[in-house]
Amino acid sequence: MWYKSGMTTGDPAKQSRALAAALEAVAGQVYFSPECHAAYESLGFAGSRGQFGGVAMPDGPAYFCSRGSLLGQVPGPVVAAAFGVFNPAVVVPAVSFGWGLTTAESIEAARTEGAVGQLARVLGEDPPEAKRLAEALGPVSESLPVAGRPLYAGLMERSVPDHPLGAAWRCADRLREYRGDSHISAWTAAGLDAVEIGLLTEVYWGLAPKTYIRTRAWSEEELDAGMERLASAGLVRDGALTDTGRGVREGIERATDRQCESVVAGLGDDFDEVVDILSSWSAAIRAAHGYPASGPHDLAAAGAQG
């Protein structure tokens, strides 16, 4: 689902979600980029683990170490803490394995090069909107508070590529991680754990329980126990949200939106143009199988309408 900016003008919460949806494929294509997978393979990782809907899926250790490299060469428990939703029992050994192959500096460079490489392949080396997007996103992406936002803070230590396409991607990646960090603070403040927020989010999106969350490597026993906790708290019943559960989950999203309203305010009069450019780029990336057809913001939008 693509949000047109005119639908959201004047409502900061809706604008925040619209921007997040438009950013997602542009920033998140780094995790599905064949150029990234090939670069990680050259460092000793496995290549892509196969395709889903024509999109090349990442190798686990390469994913954890490449995104985790934003924090520096930190141990696995730190990566698991920053990512929030993945099973540490999988993250920790994957990161240990990865740091036996390469350094954070090397894989972060491969990550940046591969992300920009896919964008250049799909959009062209110098798309006309790239300079405008970098100019609009740059100031706000470097002016946000870092407190409680480890991945965003880590990205602030990474250099911005000196060409417009790379700069636009780096700024988009900052804003994506800023919202992700803010979301973790919102659901932890609501008293949920990683399994519970994953399960609650699935039913909020209208998905069958214990489906999407499997990508986060939790066991069947852990998922069953999480569902029992949610049911005991009155948040789910028979695999669906209760009214209380919907209120809690929507409250988490609103709390995330509030933390990101400064991004909307920072874009000011550029907001509509930025969302339209990002949405156009996202459509092209998905059409080229550089990002899954339905990402988390699409699922969230569908669930909210349903």
Side-chain angles (χ1 to χ4, degrees), residues 91-115:
V91 177
V92 172
V95 170
S96 295
F97 169 76
W99 292 153
L101 299 175
T102 190
T103 65
E105 182 180 9
S106 294
I107 198 169
E108 193 280 321
R111 178 182 189 270
T112 297
E113 183 177 351

Side-chain angles (χ1 to χ4, degrees), residues 239-303:
L241 287 177
T242 63
D243 289 343
T244 299
R246 181 164 293 281
V248 168
R249 184 57 185 81
E250 181 58 28
I252 290 168
E253 210 64 30
R254 287 196 299 269
T256 306
D257 294 334
R258 285 193 295 272
Q259 295 179 74
C260 296
E261 286 179 7
S262 57
V263 178
V264 174
L267 288 173
D269 292 340
D270 293 332
F271 178 85
D272 287 1
E273 182 182 8
V274 163
V275 170
D276 288 343
I277 292 171
L278 288 169
S279 296
S280 175
W281 282 17
S282 291
I285 292 164
R286 293 173 195 249
H289 301 293
Y291 187 88
S294 293
H297 294 283
D298 306 286
L299 296 169

Side-chain angles (χ1 to χ4, degrees), residues 103-274:
T103 65
E105 182 180 9
S106 294
I107 198 169
E108 193 280 321
R111 178 182 189 270
T112 297
E113 183 177 351
V116 179
Q118 171 157 254
L119 289 178
R121 172 170 50 81
V122 173
L123 302 172
E125 293 283 346
D126 189 21
E129 310 93 346
K131 183 177 180 181
R132 179 73 187 101
L133 197 58
E135 289 174 345
L137 294 180
V140 67
S141 76
E142 63 189 21
S143 65
L144 301 167
V146 298
R149 297 178 176 91
L151 289 167
Y152 170 72
L155 269 168
M156 292 301 296
E157 296 299 310
R158 307 300 161 194
S159 62
V160 177
D162 59 5
H163 50 91
L165 186 60
W169 175 73
R170 176 71 84 207
C171 295
D173 197 28
R174 286 175 176 173
L175 295 180
R176 181 182 186 270
E177 294 293 12
Y178 185 86
R179 185 176 179 95
D181 288 336
S182 299
H183 188 60
I184 291 174
S185 73
W187 60 257
T188 54
L192 299 173
D193 64 28
V195 174
E196 292 162 354
I197 186 60
L199 292 167
L200 198 66
T201 295
E202 286 180 324
V203 290
Y204 176 67
W205 289 346
L207 300 179
K210 301 191 297 183
T211 52
Y212 187 90
I213 195 175
R214 291 189 187 281
T215 64
R216 277 44 183 162
W218 300 101
S219 70
E220 189 71 20
E221 293 75 17
E222 288 165 325
L223 296 179
D224 286 342
M227 285 298 291
E228 290 178 9
R229 293 194 299 274
L230 293 174
S232 296
L235 303 183
V236 298
R237 183 182 303 114
D238 298 326
L241 287 177
T242 63
D243 289 343
T244 299
R246 181 164 293 281
V248 168
R249 184 57 185 81
E250 181 58 28
I252 290 168
E253 210 64 30
R254 287 196 299 269
T256 306
D257 294 334
R258 285 193 295 272
Q259 295 179 74
C260 296
E261 286 179 7
S262 57
V263 178
V264 174
L267 288 173
D269 292 340
D270 293 332
F271 178 85
D272 287 1
E273 182 182 8
V274 163

Side-chain angles (χ1 to χ4, degrees), residues 52-73:
F52 180 79
V55 178
M57 305 306 286
D59 168 65
Y63 165 75
F64 292 125
C65 289
S66 62
R67 189 180 176 206
S69 70
L70 305 180
L71 303 168
Q73 196 144 339

Side-chain angles (χ1 to χ4, degrees), residues 32-50:
F32 308 98
S33 162
E35 289 84 351
C36 284
H37 300 328
Y40 303 153
E41 192 170 8
S42 73
L43 295 174
F45 294 91
S48 172
R49 291 295 187 173

